[in-house]
Amino acid sequence: SIYLTNWGGVTQLLFWLTELLCTPRGQRHIDRFFSLAWPVGVFIGLMFYAAILPGIVHAVASGECGHKYPATVNRTDVCGRHGNATCAATCDEVLMGATVFGFCQHGAPMLLIIVEGCVAPHNYSSTWITELLVVVLYACAYIVWNQLCQRKNSFWPYPFQGEMRAPATHAAYTVVLLALICVLYFVGRRCNKKRTLPETERQRKT
């Protein structure tokens, strides 16, 4: 798939299956997988809510809130000023779509992975370099796939990318994307460390 949402959905599905099927001896592998599923899921959710919340707030304030996201989201923000009919259909049917479907596809994964981190804290590796490297390689793989799709299909998976004419703009976009997903990795690591330390101390006392 050309969309990061689908990549993230598959990643989280594999994480849940791993957690369901692994024995207690495999907890270490579940923890490593979580260190990837967390930043990816939260990143997609943040982008989704950043796209819809301003429009929803405006629609509620103006009394024009409808039952579908297209009524509350500026299509230009997602598709770019020159978005074509295919992009418009994507905005309506995939990104926004019916309220429940759109939320389940884009917004719910972030909430689920946050609940997972709160209910069942995971022990990150003592050395963060390997885990961070996996996260960065995952992001780089999608960026490369993104470029290949553009060359193959002659259009960007996310048409707003077509508005970035200068190579320097694309480079800046890539750097920001990588920086954000790295920050999210460290946020997840920090949050889980705070929750797992008390439990570790209790085990030492017993």
Side-chain angles (χ1 to χ4, degrees), residues 123-163:
N123 290 304
Y124 280 58
S125 173
S126 57
T127 55
W128 53 267
I129 296 178
T130 302
E131 290 179 343
L132 183 62
L133 181 62
V134 171
V135 173
V136 171
L137 288 177
Y138 181 98
C140 288
Y142 178 74
I143 291 170
V144 171
W145 179 249
N146 194 277
Q147 297 282 340
L148 292 175
C149 288
Q150 192 277 332
R151 294 184 180 184
K152 176 70 174 179
N153 303 322
S154 300
F155 64 86
W156 290 99
Y158 296 100
F160 72 85
Q161 294 175 286
E163 302 292 325

Side-chain angles (χ1 to χ4, degrees), residues 15-16 19 30 34 38 111-122 192:
F15 167 73
W16 301 121
E19 189 170 39
I30 297 174
F34 179 83
W38 164 275
L111 302 181
L112 290 174
I113 202 68
I114 290 176
V115 170
E116 166 73 19
C118 293
V119 174
H122 295 271
N192 275 268

Side-chain angles (χ1 to χ4, degrees), residues 11-192:
T11 300
Q12 285 207 12
L13 178 61
L14 292 176
F15 167 73
W16 301 121
L17 288 175
T18 302
E19 189 170 39
L20 180 65
L21 299 176
C22 268
T23 63
R25 291 184 177 180
Q27 183 61 42
R28 182 171 63 89
H29 302 294
I30 297 174
D31 293 340
R32 299 296 82 77
F33 208 155
F34 179 83
S35 70
L36 172 64
W38 164 275
V40 173
V42 174
F43 178 87
I44 294 171
L46 287 178
M47 297 302 101
F48 172 69
Y49 289 115
I52 68 167
L53 284 181
I56 290 177
V57 171
H58 173 75
V60 171
S62 61
E64 298 176 355
C65 187
H67 297 289
K68 291 187 177 182
Y69 292 137
T72 59
V73 178
N74 184 350
R75 226 180 251 177
T76 303
D77 293 340
V78 181
C79 297
R81 291 189 299 275
H82 306 293
N84 55 25
T86 301
C87 175
T90 299
C91 291
D92 289 347
E93 297 175 11
V94 179
L95 179 59
M96 278 66 79
T99 301
V100 175
F101 177 76
F103 173 76
C104 290
Q105 188 178 20
H106 299 86
M110 182 183 82
L111 302 181
L112 290 174
I113 202 68
I114 290 176
V115 170
E116 166 73 19
C118 293
V119 174
H122 295 271
N123 290 304
Y124 280 58
S125 173
S126 57
T127 55
W128 53 267
I129 296 178
T130 302
E131 290 179 343
L132 183 62
L133 181 62
V134 171
V135 173
V136 171
L137 288 177
Y138 181 98
C140 288
Y142 178 74
I143 291 170
V144 171
W145 179 249
N146 194 277
Q147 297 282 340
L148 292 175
C149 288
Q150 192 277 332
R151 294 184 180 184
K152 176 70 174 179
N153 303 322
S154 300
F155 64 86
W156 290 99
Y158 296 100
F160 72 85
Q161 294 175 286
E163 302 292 325
M164 300 185 292
R165 307 295 182 184
T169 308
H170 278 283
Y173 167 78
T174 301
V175 170
V176 170
L177 187 153
L178 290 173
L180 178 56
I181 204 165
C182 288
V183 168
L184 291 174
Y185 163 79
F186 283 110
V187 169
R189 182 182 180 89
R190 180 67 176 174
C191 292
N192 275 268

